[in-house]
Amino acid sequence: MEVKVLKNSCYSIERRLCLRLFLFLALYAIIGFAVLLLSNYVLEVFPSSVCTWISQRLDVLFALYLIIGFSGVFYFYWKKPWGYLNEVMNATEIVYEQNDHTIELSEPLRAVENQMNQIKMSVLLSQQAAKEAENKKNEMVMYLAHDIRTPLTTVIGYLSLLNEATDMPVDQKAKYISIALDKSERLESLINELFEITRYHTNTVQIKKQSVDLYALLSQVIDDFYPTLSAKGNTTEISMEDDLTVIGDPEKLARVFNNLLRNAASYCYANTEISISAKKKGNYAVVIFQNCGPTISEDQLNTIFNKFNRLDAARTSDTGGAGLGLSIAKEVVNLHGGEIIAQSQNEKVIFTVTIPLSN
């Protein structure tokens, strides 16, 4: 689109230059002809040998006037496009400069100037977004790498105690083994987060669509999270219309609902219920996850699906991940031709997923 606009601008400049050239030439010729007529009149009014000599050569002088004038005008307008080209060439160097300097061109190039400034702004915004994403990724990797040391140190410490104290009481030994196992599982989770970052950047998500029983899929996801939910005293309540079958990749959709339920389990209040409902709406199935938890501000909702985005509370929590779950969920839902949105008010957090139904 921008290239087309630039081409149209070039055509407009060409037409304006041609019009100016023809008008200037016509005006120059008219002025010369008027001077010729005036000169003839003056020479007739004041007859003399000099005036007669000049009068006999007026046609030659007028021809020289036209030749010299036209040559000058043509040369001037022949140089104009080259001057404009040099301006545009110099401006292209400014487009990719990482500063707020605007491009300024001659008056006939105003349309080109505006387009080039818009391109520069787009480039700056893209570079800024890429830099912010890279900074977030680096920050998250550093955070996870640092956090890995804590459970690793604990595991090594308790295993060392078990190795050194061979006569340790059975109860105490069981306690140390339990702690070491718990920290090992936490360590595994953090390492998986690091692999998640790598996979997210190197792989393109591909889906293989088929008919999927939505109730069976959601029930399986809930069963997988039963131990996690029970630990905080949370329960799930599922409410669905009958015969909800969607078209999609069951593995990828399970990943979406897994991420949403993990998010709900991580940030909901203890001893509260997580509600999951699904219903038909036109040619789509609408799945809603709702949990009781701290209200998410509007600013945070606007960026909640961004890569490496994490709520502030997640950074001090053992449940905090790399901030990829919701971003991946949105990508998968979009690939299915659906939509996912987040809402929050009155200590309620709601995620709504829309997926096409199977025909």
Side-chain angles (χ1 to χ4, degrees), residues 23-36:
L23 289 176
F24 197 85
L25 290 176
L27 180 62
Y28 184 81
I30 292 171
I31 292 174
F33 187 70
V35 171
L36 177 64

Side-chain angles (χ1 to χ4, degrees), residues 7 73 87-88 91 129 136 159 181 251 269 286 316 346 349:
K7 286 183 177 179
V73 171
E87 285 189 57
V88 174
K136 282 186 177 182
L159 289 179
L181 178 61
E251 180 182 347
Y269 295 136
V286 179
T316 58
N346 301 325
V349 181

Side-chain angles (χ1 to χ4, degrees), residues 282-300:
N283 295 323
Y284 292 87
V286 179
V287 184
I288 300 174
F289 283 72
Q290 178 176 304
N291 67 273
C292 300
T295 302
I296 303 173
S297 68
E298 192 67 30
D299 291 340
Q300 290 174 321

Side-chain angles (χ1 to χ4, degrees), residues 88-327:
V88 174
M89 292 294 291
N90 293 331
T92 56
E93 298 178 2
I94 304 176
V95 168
Y96 294 99
E97 292 180 357
Q98 296 186 18
N99 53 45
D100 57 355
H101 297 164
T102 57
I103 296 170
E104 295 182 2
L105 301 176
S106 301
E107 187 276 330
L109 300 174
R110 287 289 181 260
V112 178
E113 174 187 302
N114 292 335
Q115 289 299 315
M116 295 189 76
N117 280 321
Q118 290 180 16
I119 293 172
K120 178 171 184 177
M121 183 60 65
S122 299
V123 170
L124 288 176
L125 291 175
S126 298
Q127 291 174 341
Q128 182 179 356
K131 185 176 181 180
E132 289 178 355
E134 186 67 20
N135 289 339
K136 282 186 177 182
K137 184 194 73 173
N138 293 338
E139 179 185 354
M140 193 56 57
V141 170
M142 290 177 62
Y143 161 73
L144 290 173
H146 177 270
D147 217 34
I148 283 174
R149 297 174 61 184
T150 302
L152 182 59
T153 301
T154 303
V155 170
I156 293 174
Y158 280 102
L159 289 179
S160 297
L161 289 173
L162 290 169
N163 184 56
E164 294 170 0
T166 56
D167 57 345
M168 183 181 296
V170 176
D171 292 344
Q172 188 175 7
K173 183 183 294 186
K175 178 182 178 182
Y176 287 179
I177 291 174
S178 176
I179 294 174
L181 178 61
D182 181 65
K183 296 302 179 182
S184 297
E185 291 173 348
R186 174 59 180 160
L187 182 60
E188 180 187 28
S189 174
L190 290 170
I191 292 173
N192 287 337
E193 293 289 350
L194 288 174
F195 278 110
E196 188 81 345
I197 293 173
T198 304
R199 287 199 301 269
Y200 190 84
H201 277 79
T202 57
N203 293 346
T204 301
V205 178
Q206 297 180 346
I207 58 175
K208 299 178 181 179
K209 293 184 177 181
Q210 64 184 69
S211 295
V212 180
D213 185 331
L214 199 54
Y215 180 81
L217 184 62
L218 288 171
S219 297
Q220 180 182 350
V221 171
I222 294 171
D223 289 341
D224 292 341
F225 270 88
Y226 179 78
T228 303
L229 296 172
S230 298
K232 292 178 59 178
N234 297 120
T235 59
T236 56
E237 175 66 27
I238 185 168
S239 172
M240 295 186 58
E241 294 183 2
D242 295 332
D243 301 324
L244 274 181
T245 304
V246 298
I247 183 71
D249 188 318
E251 180 182 347
K252 299 300 187 300
L253 289 177
R255 178 70 178 277
V256 170
F257 299 135
N258 184 290
N259 288 343
L260 291 178
L261 190 53
R262 177 184 290 112
N263 186 79
S266 298
Y267 305 119
C268 68
Y269 295 136
N271 303 311
T272 58
E273 182 181 85
I274 298 173
S275 170
I276 303 173
S277 63
K279 61 181 180 180
K280 293 180 182 178
K281 186 176 182 181
N283 295 323
Y284 292 87
V286 179
V287 184
I288 300 174
F289 283 72
Q290 178 176 304
N291 67 273
C292 300
T295 302
I296 303 173
S297 68
E298 192 67 30
D299 291 340
Q300 290 174 321
L301 285 175
N302 292 334
T303 61
I304 200 167
F305 294 107
N306 291 353
K307 288 184 293 185
F308 308 110
N309 181 75
R310 290 155 51 93
L311 302 183
D312 293 339
R315 300 189 62 85
T316 58
S317 160
D318 286 340
T319 58
L324 289 171
L326 294 179
S327 179

